[in-house]
């Protein structure tokens, strides 16, 4: 099934259209930091 949409696309299609974006550009430590901040925020809501 192939869906053609102006708004929806796969990650591979997005990378083809935007070559400056890459998997290496996503820093795991930065994402992990955001994740930890989210957990701290959620737990602070319950306390």
């Amino acid at each position: 099934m192939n869906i053609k949409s102006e708004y929806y696309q796969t990650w591979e299609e997005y990378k083809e259209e935007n070559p400056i974006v890459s998997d290496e550009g996503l820093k795991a430590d930065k994402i992990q930091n955001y994740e930890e901040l989210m957990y701290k925020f959620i737990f602070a809501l319950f306390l």
Side-chain angles (χ1 to χ4, degrees), residues 9-23:
Q9 57 186 340
T10 63
W11 177 242
E12 288 77 23
E13 291 171 346
Y14 183 80
K15 286 195 302 185
E16 287 176 9
E17 293 176 9
N18 303 292
I20 198 165
V21 176
S22 68
D23 291 329

Side-chain angles (χ1 to χ4, degrees), residues 1 4-8 14-18 20-22 25 27 31-32 34 38-39 42-43 45:
M1 183 174 182
K4 292 293 181 186
S5 170
E6 180 179 343
Y7 304 103
Y8 175 79
Y14 183 80
K15 286 195 302 185
E16 287 176 9
E17 293 176 9
N18 303 292
I20 198 165
V21 176
S22 68
K27 301 284 185 189
I31 293 173
Q32 185 175 2
Y34 288 145
M38 283 292 290
Y39 283 127
I42 290 170
F43 286 131
L45 289 176

Side-chain angles (χ1 to χ4, degrees), residues 22-36:
S22 68
D23 291 329
E24 293 81 30
L26 301 174
K27 301 284 185 189
D29 55 343
K30 188 174 186 179
I31 293 173
Q32 185 175 2
N33 186 31
Y34 288 145
E35 186 177 294
E36 290 172 4

